[in-house]
Amino acid sequence: MQASTNPSQSSPVAGSSQVSGRPSVLLINPPITHAQRTGPLGPIIKNLYFNSPPLGIAYIAGLLESKGMRVRLMDAAVEGFSPEETLEKIISWQPDILGLTSTSNFFCNAIELGEAVKNAIPEITTVLGGPHVSSQAEQAMAQHCFDFACIGEGEYTTLDLVETLADQRDPGSVEGIAFRRDGGIHQTARRPLIATLDDLPPPARHLLPLEKYIAQPNDGPYLPKMAMISSRGCPFKCIFCDHGTYGNTYRSFSAPRIVDEMEELVTRYGARDIAFVDSLFMISDKRVRGIITEIHDRGIKVHWTCTIRANIATRELLAMMKEAGCWRVRIGVESGNQQVLDFIKKEVTKEEIREVARSAADLGLHPKAFFMVGHPTETEETIQDSIDFARSLPLTDITVQINTPLPGAPQFEIFRSYGESVSDNLEDYTFWQPVFIPQGLSREKLEKLFRKFYLSFYLRPIIVWRHLTMLRRPSDIPRYARALALLFQRFIKTRVDAVFHTSQQA
């Protein structure tokens, strides 16, 4: 698609002159391919990628709806649509504007869908958003199936762009986008971050198939479980985080607005458990106390979980959270080696982590910890330190991922100085397979330590006992069976199959 060199005469997007009046907008989370669903990471995709709705596009839809626009949402991934089925539905709906969201590892899915749509409906206007394009706009816009890129927070940028296209005005006036013009990629000024999040309408969850989002198998006995976001941005400087979408400036919804949304999830959608999926729920004692006070004042009875920081949480605050309905806290640990923690700029100590995990366990908050292996300065010894540290903590669950230098994260600029990049294929950037091998390690050794981490943590009587104490009803048993099946399929069967395949090749 070629850009117009004279914006005063036409839009830089071919066919966008048909986007007039009140355009219809379809926002879509692209489908997962058959190869991805049935490949080695199929169990991970099935159990971990589809446990909560795409709130980013739901927030955009909520704002567009509030302005009287015709908008639909499609989560083709959770619906189980094939790329062909997704295309058929888009053709039948005939939207004027198609918005696609994408992370780095599923960028190829967005490209595949974008190309198919453009071939079938050449006049449609396509807009790409999400974390990947926010840090890699020029590279993403090299794909001619995308007419515009929405960079950073998408709500007001999308609204502005849709209104501009409807009025057939020059999109160069829209902040926070990229598009082709005069043979090159033109990027407008970055749109300021939304200062007052309370101005945003709630995400349009009613446009999504909420019954199809299934909580992780070890994610608690209180169902239905729903996700919500109470803040955006993070001021901390961890080198593995990409802040391209929400930035480093911390902004929070007000406590009344947060509890308004909690009430809506309970009364309208029947939620029994709410997962706060913010990058940083606990930025301060004061903020958390304000939310707790609002929950108590309204008498809301709902279970909830959140991520905490070990250097902010206190036993007193955790006890207040427990009384207000919190049943689990998640702790971003990342490493059990203090030198690694310092290098990745985590700004916590092992003793702070140990103390908060102990307090959470004592209070019955079933602490879960997040670890990563394969940091730039990682060695076999430091990974073993993490394994030993995790086993020494009174944790109920862990999530361990393989460090993945994402475009836009600070470590992306330096990681090649500390080891070897073994894949430039964005599909591999899943956090579940190595794309970077630190010096002194091999791919085989890193994968072996990754498996060892999970198996040596979970295959212990104490972990079985901790989970048995969480059983509430017979229906919990299939959920735990699913968790065991995932553990077996990902870390035992995969290894056996690999060994068998290698022996057959010999």
Side-chain angles (χ1 to χ4, degrees):
M1 179 167 292
Q2 297 298 316
S4 169
T5 58
N6 188 348
S8 65
Q9 295 181 358
S10 66
S11 165
V13 180
S16 66
S17 59
Q18 297 185 25
V19 180
S20 58
R22 182 174 292 181
S24 60
V25 180
L26 171 61
L27 304 176
I28 186 167
N29 187 31
I32 303 300
T33 66
H34 177 74
Q36 290 167 335
R37 289 184 185 275
T38 59
L41 293 181
I44 297 293
I45 291 173
K46 179 180 178 181
N47 285 281
L48 303 185
Y49 279 70
F50 305 142
N51 59 5
S52 62
L55 291 177
I57 59 174
Y59 267 107
I60 295 171
L63 180 62
L64 296 182
E65 255 195 345
S66 74
K67 302 298 182 181
M69 296 186 179
R70 295 176 293 156
V71 59
R72 300 181 77 161
L73 288 177
M74 184 200 301
D75 189 347
V78 81
E79 293 276 15
F81 297 153
S82 68
E84 295 76 18
E85 290 170 327
T86 305
L87 178 61
E88 288 176 5
K89 291 186 178 297
I90 294 171
I91 292 172
S92 68
W93 291 353
Q94 287 290 313
D96 298 306
I97 298 172
L98 177 69
L100 304 96
T101 185
S102 176
T103 56
S104 293
N105 59 308
F106 287 126
F107 183 50
C108 61
N109 300 55
I111 295 172
E112 180 181 347
L113 181 60
E115 289 177 343
V117 170
K118 276 295 188 183
N119 287 332
I121 318 173
E123 69 276 11
I124 197 170
T125 297
T126 54
V127 184
L128 177 68
H132 181 71
V133 71
S134 291
S135 62
Q136 301 286 297
E138 190 155 340
Q139 176 258 1
M141 286 302 294
Q143 307 296 326
H144 280 250
C145 58
F146 304 126
D147 298 318
F148 295 94
C150 179
I151 301 165
E153 288 181 306
E155 290 88 355
Y156 288 106
T157 299
T158 303
L159 174 63
D160 193 0
L161 179 60
V162 170
E163 291 178 336
T164 296
L165 294 176
D167 295 341
Q168 298 186 343
R169 291 181 278 116
D170 176 19
S173 64
V174 178
E175 293 179 315
I177 65 170
F179 58 94
R180 281 177 292 280
R181 172 173 282 175
D182 298 334
I185 305 299
H186 177 70
Q187 192 165 328
T188 65
R190 185 93 179 201
R191 183 176 294 270
L193 295 170
I194 300 170
T196 307
L197 295 182
D198 281 13
D199 292 342
L200 291 172
R205 292 183 177 89
H206 59 283
L207 299 179
L208 289 165
L210 297 182
E211 72 283 355
K212 295 189 177 182
Y213 298 98
I214 306 299
Q216 295 180 29
N218 60 341
D219 219 8
Y222 310 110
L223 300 175
K225 183 187 188 79
M226 307 229 173
M228 67 174 282
I229 297 171
S230 69
S231 65
R232 293 183 180 181
C234 178
F236 293 97
K237 309 296 183 184
C238 302
I239 68 172
F240 52 84
C241 281
D242 170 22
H243 296 301
T245 301
Y246 292 139
N248 293 105
T249 302
Y250 187 81
R251 295 151 294 139
S252 174
F253 289 97
S254 67
R257 165 58 192 271
I258 291 167
V259 181
D260 282 347
E261 189 168 339
M262 294 178 72
E263 280 192 313
E264 181 181 50
L265 291 179
V266 172
T267 59
R268 182 175 181 180
Y269 299 109
R272 296 183 62 231
D273 190 5
I274 295 172
F276 288 100
V277 294
D278 313 29
S279 296
L280 184 58
F281 178 84
M282 183 179 283
I283 192 172
S284 69
D285 180 288
K286 179 180 178 181
R287 177 183 191 264
V288 178
R289 286 175 185 266
I291 297 170
I292 290 170
T293 299
E294 193 73 22
I295 291 173
H296 283 312
D297 287 348
R298 301 199 201 182
I300 295 178
K301 303 298 182 183
V302 66
H303 303 282
W304 52 278
T305 68
C306 67
T307 301
I308 62 175
R309 275 194 68 88
N311 59 347
I312 295 175
T314 63
R315 189 182 187 91
E316 178 188 4
L317 184 60
L318 292 173
M320 293 176 64
M321 291 164 57
K322 169 78 172 178
E323 188 180 350
C326 182
W327 73 269
R328 158 167 282 175
V329 292
R330 306 181 294 270
I331 310 167
V333 178
E334 318 309 346
S335 175
N337 179 277
Q338 190 61 52
Q339 289 181 317
V340 173
L341 286 173
D342 294 342
F343 181 85
I344 64 177
K345 301 184 179 179
K346 186 63 183 175
E347 297 186 29
V348 296
T349 67
K350 289 177 63 178
E351 284 312 306
E352 288 171 328
I353 294 167
R354 188 181 300 280
E355 181 61 30
V356 77
R358 184 182 299 120
S359 295
D362 289 346
L363 291 165
L365 285 170
H366 306 289
K368 176 180 181 177
F370 294 94
F371 287 86
M372 284 198 291
V373 297
H375 296 288
T377 59
E378 199 89 87
T379 64
E380 183 175 352
E381 290 73 23
T382 63
I383 295 176
Q384 187 61 51
D385 286 344
S386 292
I387 296 173
D388 294 341
F389 188 51
R391 287 168 56 92
S392 75
L393 299 175
L395 303 171
T396 303
D397 281 296
I398 58 170
T399 292
V400 185
Q401 294 183 309
I402 299 176
N403 181 40
T404 301
L406 290 174
Q411 70 173 344
F412 191 76
E413 305 301 321
I414 63 168
F415 77 96
R416 288 183 176 85
S417 300
Y418 292 88
E420 177 187 5
S421 173
V422 295
S423 177
D424 291 323
N425 181 0
L426 289 175
E427 277 195 81
D428 295 337
Y429 280 56
T430 63
F431 289 87
W432 296 98
Q433 55 193 332
V435 297
F436 163 71
I437 310 298
Q439 292 171 0
L441 289 172
S442 65
R443 184 187 187 108
E444 293 73 20
K445 176 61 73 173
L446 184 57
E447 290 177 334
K448 181 179 180 180
L449 290 166
F450 179 51
R451 287 192 298 274
K452 178 183 179 182
F453 205 140
Y454 268 103
L455 296 177
S456 66
F457 178 85
Y458 275 107
L459 300 184
R460 294 182 293 155
I462 186 62
I463 298 302
V464 175
W465 171 249
R466 287 171 186 163
H467 279 276
L468 284 175
T469 64
M470 294 171 62
L471 290 175
R472 297 290 185 273
R473 58 190 64 84
S475 59
D476 288 340
I477 296 174
R479 182 167 52 81
Y480 274 97
R482 191 159 59 95
L484 288 172
L486 177 60
L487 186 69
F488 173 80
Q489 196 166 11
R490 181 66 183 95
F491 297 107
I492 299 175
K493 181 178 182 296
T494 301
R495 177 57 179 165
V496 172
D497 288 348
V499 171
F500 176 77
H501 178 74
T502 301
S503 67
Q504 292 292 96
Q505 295 288 323

